[in-house]
Short mmCIF file of all heavy atoms in Angstrom, two decimals:
data_model
loop_
_atom_site.label_atom_id
_atom_site.label_comp_id
_atom_site.label_asym_id
_atom_site.label_seq_id
_atom_site.Cartn_x
_atom_site.Cartn_y
_atom_site.Cartn_z
N LYS R 211 16.78 18.93 -5.60
CA LYS R 211 15.36 19.20 -5.51
C LYS R 211 14.82 19.56 -6.89
O LYS R 211 15.48 20.27 -7.66
CB LYS R 211 15.10 20.35 -4.53
CG LYS R 211 15.45 20.03 -3.09
CD LYS R 211 15.16 21.22 -2.19
CE LYS R 211 15.47 20.89 -0.74
NZ LYS R 211 15.20 22.05 0.16
N SER R 224 10.07 27.54 -21.85
CA SER R 224 9.91 26.09 -21.83
C SER R 224 8.62 25.73 -21.09
O SER R 224 8.10 26.51 -20.30
CB SER R 224 11.10 25.43 -21.11
OG SER R 224 12.29 25.59 -21.85
N VAL R 232 -2.55 15.59 -5.46
CA VAL R 232 -3.65 16.11 -4.64
C VAL R 232 -3.28 16.31 -3.17
O VAL R 232 -4.03 16.94 -2.43
CB VAL R 232 -4.89 15.19 -4.72
CG1 VAL R 232 -5.36 15.06 -6.16
CG2 VAL R 232 -4.61 13.81 -4.13
N THR R 233 -2.16 15.77 -2.72
CA THR R 233 -1.80 15.86 -1.30
C THR R 233 -0.75 16.95 -1.08
O THR R 233 0.03 17.28 -1.97
CB THR R 233 -1.29 14.50 -0.79
OG1 THR R 233 -0.44 13.91 -1.78
CG2 THR R 233 -2.45 13.56 -0.55
N VAL R 243 8.30 24.34 -7.85
CA VAL R 243 8.76 24.16 -9.24
C VAL R 243 8.21 25.27 -10.12
O VAL R 243 8.93 25.87 -10.93
CB VAL R 243 8.34 22.79 -9.77
CG1 VAL R 243 8.58 22.70 -11.28
CG2 VAL R 243 9.10 21.68 -9.06
N LYS R 245 7.22 28.23 -9.31
CA LYS R 245 7.86 29.51 -8.96
C LYS R 245 9.25 29.60 -9.57
O LYS R 245 9.64 30.64 -10.11
CB LYS R 245 7.94 29.65 -7.44
CG LYS R 245 8.51 30.97 -6.96
CD LYS R 245 8.48 31.04 -5.44
CE LYS R 245 9.05 32.37 -4.95
NZ LYS R 245 9.03 32.46 -3.46
N VAL R 255 2.95 22.79 -16.38
CA VAL R 255 1.60 22.39 -16.77
C VAL R 255 1.30 21.04 -16.14
O VAL R 255 2.03 20.06 -16.34
CB VAL R 255 1.47 22.29 -18.31
CG1 VAL R 255 0.09 21.75 -18.68
CG2 VAL R 255 1.71 23.66 -18.95
N ASN R 274 -17.09 16.94 -2.90
CA ASN R 274 -18.38 16.41 -2.44
C ASN R 274 -18.48 14.92 -2.73
O ASN R 274 -19.58 14.41 -3.02
CB ASN R 274 -19.52 17.17 -3.12
CG ASN R 274 -19.61 18.61 -2.65
OD1 ASN R 274 -19.76 18.86 -1.46
ND2 ASN R 274 -19.51 19.54 -3.57
N LEU R 297 -8.28 5.83 -24.55
CA LEU R 297 -6.85 6.11 -24.47
C LEU R 297 -6.45 7.13 -25.53
O LEU R 297 -7.01 7.14 -26.64
CB LEU R 297 -6.05 4.83 -24.67
CG LEU R 297 -6.19 3.75 -23.60
CD1 LEU R 297 -5.49 2.47 -24.06
CD2 LEU R 297 -5.62 4.21 -22.28
N ASP R 310 26.09 14.98 -27.04
CA ASP R 310 27.04 15.19 -25.95
C ASP R 310 27.12 13.99 -25.01
O ASP R 310 27.88 14.02 -24.04
CB ASP R 310 26.66 16.44 -25.16
CG ASP R 310 25.26 16.34 -24.54
OD1 ASP R 310 24.60 15.30 -24.77
OD2 ASP R 310 24.86 17.28 -23.83
N ALA R 352 5.89 -3.09 -17.77
CA ALA R 352 4.51 -2.98 -17.29
C ALA R 352 3.56 -3.60 -18.30
O ALA R 352 2.66 -4.38 -17.94
CB ALA R 352 4.14 -1.52 -17.05
N MET R 353 3.72 -3.29 -19.57
CA MET R 353 2.84 -3.83 -20.60
C MET R 353 3.05 -5.33 -20.79
O MET R 353 2.08 -6.05 -21.11
CB MET R 353 3.05 -3.08 -21.91
CG MET R 353 2.64 -1.61 -21.85
SD MET R 353 0.96 -1.34 -21.22
CE MET R 353 0.00 -2.18 -22.48
N ARG R 355 3.71 -7.32 -18.35
CA ARG R 355 2.97 -7.90 -17.24
C ARG R 355 1.47 -7.92 -17.53
O ARG R 355 0.78 -8.91 -17.26
CB ARG R 355 3.25 -7.12 -15.95
CG ARG R 355 2.43 -7.59 -14.75
CD ARG R 355 2.69 -9.04 -14.40
NE ARG R 355 1.79 -9.52 -13.35
CZ ARG R 355 1.69 -10.78 -12.97
NH1 ARG R 355 2.42 -11.72 -13.56
NH2 ARG R 355 0.86 -11.13 -12.01
N ALA R 357 0.01 -8.04 -20.43
CA ALA R 357 -0.25 -9.07 -21.44
C ALA R 357 -0.21 -10.47 -20.83
O ALA R 357 -1.06 -11.31 -21.11
CB ALA R 357 0.76 -8.95 -22.58
N TYR R 367 -9.21 -14.40 -11.54
CA TYR R 367 -8.79 -13.37 -10.60
C TYR R 367 -9.64 -13.31 -9.34
O TYR R 367 -9.12 -13.22 -8.22
CB TYR R 367 -8.79 -12.00 -11.30
CG TYR R 367 -8.49 -10.85 -10.37
CD1 TYR R 367 -7.20 -10.65 -9.88
CD2 TYR R 367 -9.49 -9.97 -9.97
CE1 TYR R 367 -6.92 -9.59 -9.03
CE2 TYR R 367 -9.23 -8.91 -9.12
CZ TYR R 367 -7.94 -8.73 -8.65
OH TYR R 367 -7.67 -7.69 -7.79
N ARG R 395 -6.53 3.58 -16.87
CA ARG R 395 -7.30 3.52 -18.11
C ARG R 395 -6.72 2.49 -19.07
O ARG R 395 -7.47 1.80 -19.78
CB ARG R 395 -7.36 4.90 -18.76
CG ARG R 395 -8.35 5.83 -18.09
CD ARG R 395 -8.09 7.28 -18.43
NE ARG R 395 -8.08 7.53 -19.87
CZ ARG R 395 -7.59 8.64 -20.41
NH1 ARG R 395 -7.08 9.58 -19.65
NH2 ARG R 395 -7.63 8.81 -21.72
N THR R 448 -11.74 11.56 15.51
CA THR R 448 -12.08 10.55 16.52
C THR R 448 -10.91 10.40 17.49
O THR R 448 -9.82 9.99 17.10
CB THR R 448 -12.37 9.19 15.85
OG1 THR R 448 -13.40 9.37 14.88
CG2 THR R 448 -12.80 8.17 16.88
N ALA R 461 8.82 -4.90 17.07
CA ALA R 461 8.50 -6.32 16.89
C ALA R 461 7.60 -6.51 15.68
O ALA R 461 7.77 -7.44 14.89
CB ALA R 461 7.84 -6.87 18.15
N GLY R 483 9.68 -5.78 -0.25
CA GLY R 483 8.97 -4.56 -0.58
C GLY R 483 7.55 -4.79 -1.09
O GLY R 483 6.92 -3.89 -1.64
N LEU R 501 -2.73 -4.49 19.12
CA LEU R 501 -1.65 -3.83 19.88
C LEU R 501 -2.01 -2.41 20.29
O LEU R 501 -1.37 -1.84 21.17
CB LEU R 501 -0.36 -3.81 19.06
CG LEU R 501 0.21 -5.18 18.65
CD1 LEU R 501 1.55 -5.00 17.92
CD2 LEU R 501 0.40 -6.08 19.87
N CYS R 522 -2.25 8.24 -1.43
CA CYS R 522 -3.68 8.23 -1.12
C CYS R 522 -4.18 6.85 -0.73
O CYS R 522 -4.92 6.70 0.25
CB CYS R 522 -4.47 8.76 -2.31
SG CYS R 522 -4.02 10.45 -2.80
N TRP R 561 8.14 -18.00 5.21
CA TRP R 561 8.73 -16.78 5.75
C TRP R 561 9.16 -16.90 7.21
O TRP R 561 9.89 -16.04 7.71
CB TRP R 561 7.76 -15.62 5.57
CG TRP R 561 7.61 -15.27 4.12
CD1 TRP R 561 6.56 -15.57 3.30
CD2 TRP R 561 8.56 -14.57 3.31
NE1 TRP R 561 6.80 -15.11 2.02
CE2 TRP R 561 8.01 -14.49 2.01
CE3 TRP R 561 9.81 -14.00 3.55
CZ2 TRP R 561 8.68 -13.88 0.96
CZ3 TRP R 561 10.47 -13.39 2.51
CH2 TRP R 561 9.93 -13.33 1.23
N ASN R 621 -1.54 -1.11 27.66
CA ASN R 621 -0.16 -1.56 27.80
C ASN R 621 0.00 -2.32 29.10
O ASN R 621 -0.04 -1.74 30.18
CB ASN R 621 0.80 -0.35 27.80
CG ASN R 621 0.88 0.28 26.44
OD1 ASN R 621 1.58 -0.22 25.58
ND2 ASN R 621 0.13 1.36 26.22
N GLY R 624 -2.50 -2.14 32.38
CA GLY R 624 -2.68 -1.01 33.29
C GLY R 624 -3.20 0.22 32.58
O GLY R 624 -3.92 0.12 31.61
N GLY R 634 9.12 9.26 12.45
CA GLY R 634 9.14 8.21 11.45
C GLY R 634 9.87 8.68 10.21
O GLY R 634 10.35 9.79 10.12
#
Side-chain angles (χ1 to χ4, degrees):
K211 294 180 178 179
S224 293
V232 301
T233 42
V243 170
K245 183 177 180 180
V255 175
N274 292 302
L297 295 172
D310 60 358
M353 295 308 297
R355 175 60 186 172
Y367 175 72
R395 283 161 56 195
T448 305
L501 300 184
C522 301
W561 292 103
N621 289 280

